[in-house]
Amino acid sequence: MKIVIVGAVAGGASAAARARRLDEDAEIILVERGEAPSFANCGLPYYVGGVIESRDKLLVTPKQRLIDRYRLDVRTYSEAIQIDRQAKTVLIRDLKSDNEYSESYDKLILSPGASPLRPPISGVDLPQVYTLRDLGDADRLSQAGSQAEQAVVIGAGFIGLEMTENLVRRGIETTVVELADQVLPPWDAEMVTSVTEHLRSKGVKLELADAAESIVPVENRLLIQLRSGKKLPADLVVLSVGVRPENKLAIEAGLEVGQRGGIRVNEQMQTSDPDIYAVGDAVEVHHFVDGTPVQIPLGGPANRQGRIAADSIFGRSAHYRGTQGTAVVGVFDMTASMTGLSEKSLRAAGMAFEKIYVHPSHHAGYFPGAEQMSLKLLFVPKDGKILGAQAVGRAGVDKRIDVLAVAIQAGMTVYDLEEMELAYAPQYGSAKDPVNMAGFVAVGVLKGDQPIIHAEHLMEASNHFLVDVRSPEEYANGHIPNAVNIPMEELRGRLSEIPYDSRVVTYCQVGQRGYLACRVLVQKGFQVANLSGGYTSYQQYRAIATTP
């Protein structure tokens, strides 16, 4: 068996190592156009920022180790430029000598990755405009950063915010320009309002709902002209507006690609040619939750796809389940994480869903250092099946999203979340973990124990009688307009102050006392709903509504 793998890093290197473990005698050729066949591309921003001090730390598996440990034929600075499917050969160019030669294969695995998008604007190809894909990019950015005072990052996604943090860490005044009206566009807008505030508190300037129209050289610097008319001076620009699958080789070979350019594969990672497989950021897969075609460039899925391709080649039963988009990003000392479908994607697909918000502490409140997080859970109204979740906070966020990611993989419902037994000690969690709490609230909604209303619907309507059941001190520090303050401890004795013929909405700071008040009023015959997530969720939505 002779296997040629085009492109290394996550998917290709994993496929090569797995193939060797399955067949000691196979001839395995790994073709990589860069200098390193296996490096930590997710660590590149932190190398630029100096968090990772040694460049060698980014080399996950050095070239020589792949050769010595796995007996692979590793060819760096080599680029596959053409596939002859009939002859089953690949034309390869040696980038150092510029010589070209043909290499035969029994099975071919494509792992070309995805390239950073360069928007079609004037000046985008100037030398002071950077993207971040490989070690060479990181070296150039690191060197440029040592002489820069001002930077503009175009795009507020994962890499954009990671680069922003690391530029600020180097003392560079940084402005972020984002076409969407929020940072981290894959998240639902209300969930990342605290991230926006946190970025600004760190001195980051945000230009949201705006776009760069041109980049003009002025002496030795740049001037970025925005659609709004603003002009931003900078010593360097980092483009982070998304990626495009590297599909040229596949398209020219006649392989099928999806509408967005991803190479189409089946559950065994086979392309439309049964002898050619494809893995990683270049492929189109299906979303685990709803089965729709997606391209989600993440390292974890790429690694699994590489293993599955190798298994399939050697006749092992292996199936890729799909990608559910489980992701996490650090923004200074905050964390945002998500899994499954977002509310915006559910609405776009026309799928029925319900949602709840909780704002628990990441561990027991009585233990020092408890940090509040915001957690949003999306589920099917009919049976409670979990569709997605998002969480933002300072600690414990990744842990809860990982639990919910597994719950989605297992096809669990919100009823299962109630019963989950999770590790508890006061410095790690609570006896009622945030995941349990999300389950309790969601089940209460499904059973009718807790009718809820969401902040956006409350803000759209004016015919509700609002009851703030917090303390007078909390009420004085900020409340929803026209709300009447009746603390929970006084509610039963002040029912006469609440009109029976009105639609009543109860709320507290995060939802728990509002729920207790709702239960009291429901049993006394009132038409009542609790504000999901309480005043905290209201403030998040108000931040969206008032964003200029």
Side-chain angles (χ1 to χ4, degrees):
M1 174 76 75
K2 182 177 181 180
I3 303 170
V4 175
I5 303 172
V6 175
V9 194
S14 294
R18 179 65 172 170
R20 171 58 70 223
R21 291 194 296 271
L22 295 177
D23 190 332
E24 180 61 24
D25 297 320
E27 182 180 359
I28 304 170
I29 300 171
L30 187 58
V31 179
E32 169 57 46
R33 65 185 170 193
E35 64 173 284
S38 180
F39 67 92
N41 48 8
C42 293
L44 295 178
Y46 300 95
Y47 170 65
V48 174
V51 178
I52 299 173
E53 297 180 1
S54 171
R55 189 180 190 272
D56 289 344
K57 292 290 187 181
L58 295 171
L59 302 176
V60 178
T61 309
K63 175 180 176 179
Q64 196 58 45
R65 185 183 301 169
L66 289 173
I67 295 171
D68 295 341
R69 183 172 295 178
Y70 295 98
R71 202 163 53 84
L72 303 176
D73 182 350
V74 183
R75 304 178 188 178
T76 52
Y77 298 109
S78 298
E79 182 175 15
I81 57 175
Q82 189 177 58
I83 300 170
D84 186 331
R85 290 167 55 191
Q86 283 68 42
K88 297 182 71 171
T89 59
V90 182
L91 185 62
I92 299 171
R93 177 181 294 140
D94 185 317
L95 297 178
K96 288 190 171 181
S97 67
D98 213 33
N99 291 332
E100 295 180 1
Y101 61 94
S102 184
E103 192 69 61
S104 64
Y105 65 86
D106 295 313
K107 300 292 181 181
L108 176 65
I109 301 177
L110 302 179
S111 180
S115 57
L117 286 169
R118 285 185 173 269
I121 59 176
S122 173
V124 75
D125 294 319
L126 288 168
Q128 302 102 312
V129 179
Y130 300 88
T131 58
L132 186 62
R133 183 184 185 184
D134 55 29
L135 290 167
D137 292 337
D139 290 335
R140 289 185 287 273
L141 252 174
S142 183
Q143 183 175 1
S146 64
Q147 304 168 7
E149 295 181 357
Q150 290 179 298
V152 170
V153 176
I154 300 178
F158 292 84
I159 297 176
L161 293 193
E162 289 172 346
M163 275 306 310
T164 297
E165 175 183 346
N166 284 284
L167 291 171
V168 170
R169 182 177 280 114
R170 294 189 62 165
I172 301 171
E173 182 183 309
T174 305
T175 300
V176 179
V177 180
E178 170 56 52
L179 181 62
D181 58 2
Q182 66 173 89
V183 300
L184 295 174
W187 274 254
D188 293 324
E190 79 281 5
M191 291 300 295
V192 292
T193 56
S194 59
V195 177
T196 301
E197 294 171 3
H198 193 55
L199 284 162
R200 288 177 172 145
S201 76
K202 295 295 184 179
V204 177
K205 298 177 182 177
L206 296 175
E207 300 293 343
L208 303 178
D210 210 342
E213 290 196 332
S214 66
I215 303 172
V216 181
V218 179
E219 297 179 352
N220 294 324
R221 307 190 75 215
L222 300 173
L223 194 66
I224 297 86
Q225 174 74 51
L226 303 187
R227 186 174 57 190
S228 63
K230 294 181 180 179
K231 296 180 180 180
L232 307 176
D235 299 298
L236 63 89
V237 172
V238 180
L239 298 177
S240 178
V241 294
V243 295
R244 175 186 291 113
E246 291 268 12
N247 58 14
K248 182 174 181 290
L249 197 62
I251 290 175
E252 290 180 349
L255 300 178
E256 291 182 11
V257 298
Q259 289 186 347
R260 296 180 57 202
I263 304 170
R264 283 188 169 154
V265 293
N266 61 18
E267 292 182 345
Q268 287 75 42
M269 307 311 298
Q270 276 179 310
T271 69
S272 52
D273 184 320
D275 291 321
I276 302 178
Y277 295 72
V279 300
D281 295 353
V283 304
E284 176 188 275
V285 295
H286 66 272
H287 199 287
F288 180 81
V289 178
D290 67 355
T292 56
V294 291
Q295 290 166 218
I296 303 179
L298 293 170
N303 273 284
R304 292 195 299 277
Q305 291 163 11
R307 287 173 56 88
I308 288 170
D311 281 355
S312 299
I313 285 172
F314 289 103
R316 293 201 170 201
S317 178
H319 304 271
Y320 187 64
R321 297 182 184 180
T323 301
Q324 68 189 62
T326 304
V328 63
V329 60
V331 183
F332 295 97
D333 52 354
M334 285 194 73
T335 301
S337 191
M338 70 182 301
T339 188
L341 297 173
S342 64
E343 179 176 349
K344 64 178 69 172
S345 61
L346 287 166
R347 290 191 182 279
M351 293 178 63
F353 69 93
E354 183 54 277
K355 61 179 179 178
I356 59 95
Y357 299 88
V358 292
H359 305 281
S361 296
H362 86 286
H363 65 49
Y366 64 82
F367 194 88
E371 297 277 5
Q372 187 182 58
M373 70 176 72
S374 292
L375 196 158
K376 177 179 185 177
L377 185 68
L378 299 141
F379 52 95
V380 177
K382 183 178 179 180
D383 59 11
K385 186 176 181 180
I386 304 165
L387 298 171
Q390 299 172 39
V392 176
R394 292 178 183 268
V397 167
D398 55 335
K399 171 182 175 180
R400 273 66 191 205
I401 289 296
D402 280 345
V403 171
L404 292 167
V406 174
I408 290 175
Q409 281 278 317
M412 289 183 175
T413 70
V414 297
Y415 299 98
D416 295 309
L417 300 186
E418 283 191 303
E419 303 299 328
M420 276 192 171
E421 183 177 330
L422 302 172
Y424 161 60
Q427 67 269 46
Y428 298 110
S430 300
K432 295 177 181 178
D433 190 85
V435 172
N436 299 132
M437 293 300 300
F440 296 150
V441 175
V443 169
V445 171
L446 293 184
K447 288 183 175 179
D449 293 338
Q450 182 188 179
I452 60 171
I453 186 171
H454 297 294
E456 68 268 35
H457 300 140
L458 183 63
M459 294 172 70
E460 293 168 358
S462 58
N463 60 338
H464 295 99
F465 187 85
L466 300 175
V467 181
D468 186 324
V469 299
R470 299 175 299 164
S471 69
E473 293 77 17
E474 290 174 291
Y475 180 84
N477 286 332
H479 58 270
I480 300 174
N482 302 317
V484 176
N485 183 213
I486 306 178
M488 180 60 215
E489 293 75 13
E490 302 175 13
L491 180 64
R492 293 176 179 87
R494 296 175 60 180
L495 295 179
S496 61
E497 300 176 33
I498 304 173
Y500 267 101
D501 58 351
S502 294
R503 299 184 66 184
V504 180
V505 172
T506 58
Y507 76 89
C508 62
Q509 192 65 27
V510 297
Q512 186 175 21
R513 284 171 289 173
Y515 163 62
L516 296 175
C518 182
R519 290 301 305 148
V520 170
L521 295 178
V522 163
Q523 294 176 74
K524 294 297 183 180
F526 289 91
Q527 297 181 31
V528 61
N530 183 31
L531 176 61
S532 182
Y535 188 63
T536 301
S537 287
Y538 172 82
Q539 288 179 300
Q540 291 173 340
Y541 271 100
R542 188 177 64 176
I544 299 172
T546 58
T547 298

